[in-house]
Amino acid sequence: MKKSNLKSIMQGLDELGLSNARGVSWNLTPAELVMEAIKNHEGVLADTGAFMWDTGKFTGRAPKDRFIVKDEITENTVWWGNINQEFDAEKFDKLYDKVVKSLNYKRLYVRDCFAGADPRYRLNVRIIDTQATHNLFCYNMFLKPENDELEDFHPDFRILAVPEFEADPEVDGTRSKNFAIINFKKRIILVGGTGYTGETKKGIFSVLNFLLPEKEKVLAMHCSANIGEKDDAAVFFGLSGTGKTTLSADPNRQLIGDDEHGWTDDGVFNFEGGCYAKVIDLTREKEPEIWDAIKFGAILENTRFFPGTTTVDYENTEVTENTRVSYPLNHISNAVLPSVGGHPKNIFFLTCDAYGVLPPISKLTPGQAMYHFISGYTAKVAGTEAGITEPQSVFSACFGAPFMPLHPTKYAELLGEKMVKHDVNIWLINTGWSGGAYGVGNRIKLKYTRAMITAALDGKLDNVEFETHPVFGLAMPKECPEVPSMILNPKVTWENKDAYDDKANLLAKEFVKNFEKYEENANDEIMAGAPKVVVEQ
């Protein structure tokens, strides 16, 4: 490390009140961090070379313990409620002082990195960790500055991630001992009481989702994206379990990114420098790109070995079903670097409809696109969570409500403007059930879903005949290459047509009820995209 670099980083720590750190390791390489992690007994190496560790008590995000400091910047801009919970500025300052005091006299791992592959909208981020593994995660998930870019690096945002620090809820104003708090005025994120690495990346995602649409008119998106040979980008929105990562991993297209992107006047760009994928039941046959990416430098979270070996048992759910791997984009052979692309020609909303009501593919009008974007529908099936015995509707605005500080209509209107300006096709893809609801019908075959997406991407649905869904008003193609025509209209696949009508009306009611909280801020075009509920006599 050059003396000028060391002086800069130490000045940066002094500004945060961390002048008494016991030792500071700054921007270590993956090999150095793995050695540190092993020395610290944070985890072990798998036979692929990947580093395996446990995140502790928390194996997923804790959305009820995520807060935003309410001040003059956020008071009238953040959409406050159950998702964006307010935190008192004075209490933040006191909690911050306690966190900093706990960090002094400890060994720290510091990383300077970027969020945003487009330099015009890039966020300089400085992350301060007490765990080498967490710092390696940040190396994987954020963009790496070149050495000359580190010479005069000034952070726009700082993250203090301290898993071992637990809050006192009665004194500190948190709900629990763990917390993740964003302070936009001081440009600091505090994460404590949890070792789950996803809190860090989603914290920065939330920051970009607040800053970019408000100031730059850049649409922030919780989506994956890829690009074809003709520079035809495609974007895939979807909640967990809908196939977002799987369907964007196309061997005939290059991957831009698998989770977080921005859409500017020039095209789409990845916020991240890596992927954070689920590995439950992973096989090389199902996910060859992810399988081959799990090598030295990758981090496996909460997995287990086959007894007596260092080979990972991906079916093992002893710790959690949310087992994951993080790895840098260069672990993917067909990744686009730098991870930017042109304007998307096609956007896919992925939903796993366990009611078997929605068509496997349908084309949306701008109004319908904004309506379904704000709704963010999918469904949970029996067995996915304790107490769920029947399919349950899940609505997450913009397909990522926990990370969207602004009102959902802000993002939806930006989406509508961009899809009209750039003549984008928007498709709703049901990766769920056909021929009946869960327990009666069958899951739509992946090969059919892939064929429908490929047909849309290749323009093979541009000139086919469409029919209109009577309840949801969706345009359903009557034919699609390599897909049986009978499955394209969901009602046709049901043996009991009256039962289908009842279920479709039930789901429409759930859509309408969920949307009530957005109506006041939604324009006429958005409201025209709502399904038509049949009123029972």
Side-chain angles (χ1 to χ4, degrees), residues 233-291:
V235 166
F236 300 79
F237 289 92
L239 300 173
S240 179
T242 59
K244 179 163 58 83
T245 299
T246 299
L247 293 170
S248 62
D250 186 333
N252 297 314
R253 298 172 67 83
Q254 290 184 287
L255 181 70
I256 299 174
D258 81 332
D259 198 37
E260 301 166 3
H261 295 79
W263 186 357
T264 73
D265 289 337
D266 297 319
V268 297
F269 70 96
N270 193 354
F271 288 169
E272 301 183 293
C275 299
Y276 191 41
K278 286 188 175 182
V279 293
I280 186 69
D281 296 327
L282 179 70
T283 65
R284 172 170 256 148
E285 291 71 30
K286 288 195 299 185
E287 300 281 5
E289 292 83 9
I290 296 175
W291 182 276

Side-chain angles (χ1 to χ4, degrees), residues 20-23 102-108 130 162 164-165:
N20 293 319
R22 190 179 70 188
S102 78
L103 287 175
N104 274 305
Y105 305 103
K106 285 189 176 181
R107 180 167 179 76
L108 303 178
T130 57
V162 194
E164 64 274 19
F165 180 91

Side-chain angles (χ1 to χ4, degrees), residues 387-430:
I388 296 181
T389 57
E390 296 290 334
Q392 285 188 6
S393 301
V394 176
F395 295 95
S396 183
C398 309
F399 297 97
F403 328 117
M404 303 294 172
L406 306 177
H407 194 283
T409 54
K410 291 267 190 183
Y411 305 101
E413 288 170 359
L414 264 178
L415 173 69
E417 291 171 12
K418 289 182 178 294
M419 69 172 288
V420 171
K421 181 178 180 180
H422 301 291
D423 193 24
V424 184
N425 296 317
I426 299 199
W427 308 86
L428 181 66
I429 303 290
N430 175 17

Side-chain angles (χ1 to χ4, degrees), residues 15 105 172 181 183 214 217 223 233-234 248 298 312 324 338 356 372 396 399 419 439 501 505 519 532:
E15 292 171 2
Y105 305 103
D172 299 321
I181 309 171
N183 189 321
E214 280 286 278
K217 303 304 177 187
C223 67
S248 62
V312 179
R324 291 195 175 249
H372 282 269
S396 183
F399 297 97
M419 69 172 288
D501 290 337
N505 198 50
E519 288 182 0
K532 298 175 177 61

Side-chain angles (χ1 to χ4, degrees), residues 300-463:
L300 287 160
E301 291 186 350
N302 303 311
T303 52
R304 287 293 179 266
F305 294 139
F306 287 106
T309 75
T310 56
T311 299
V312 179
D313 176 6
Y314 290 109
E315 294 183 0
N316 190 307
T317 59
E318 177 184 332
V319 180
T320 178
E321 290 193 2
N322 189 34
T323 52
R324 291 195 175 249
V325 64
S326 77
Y327 49 84
L329 273 173
N330 61 19
H331 280 205
I332 299 290
S333 60
N334 69 334
V336 179
L337 297 172
S339 47
V340 297
H343 295 294
K345 306 296 183 184
N346 292 277
I347 292 176
F348 300 93
F349 294 164
L350 308 176
T351 179
C352 178
D353 177 25
Y355 296 104
V357 165
L358 296 176
I361 183 169
S362 52
K363 193 172 184 180
L364 308 183
T365 65
Q368 289 171 335
M370 289 185 282
Y371 185 91
H372 282 269
F373 182 65
I374 293 173
S375 297
Y377 164 72
T378 191
K380 293 178 182 178
V381 297
T384 56
E385 289 184 10
I388 296 181
T389 57
E390 296 290 334
Q392 285 188 6
S393 301
V394 176
F395 295 95
S396 183
C398 309
F399 297 97
F403 328 117
M404 303 294 172
L406 306 177
H407 194 283
T409 54
K410 291 267 190 183
Y411 305 101
E413 288 170 359
L414 264 178
L415 173 69
E417 291 171 12
K418 289 182 178 294
M419 69 172 288
V420 171
K421 181 178 180 180
H422 301 291
D423 193 24
V424 184
N425 296 317
I426 299 199
W427 308 86
L428 181 66
I429 303 290
N430 175 17
T431 62
W433 273 256
S434 178
Y438 171 81
V440 177
N442 297 299
R443 188 85 185 254
I444 298 169
K445 292 182 179 180
L446 178 59
K447 68 176 182 178
Y448 293 154
T449 301
R450 287 192 183 277
M452 287 182 278
I453 288 175
T454 298
L457 290 170
D458 293 344
K460 294 180 179 179
L461 300 181
D462 291 351
N463 299 311

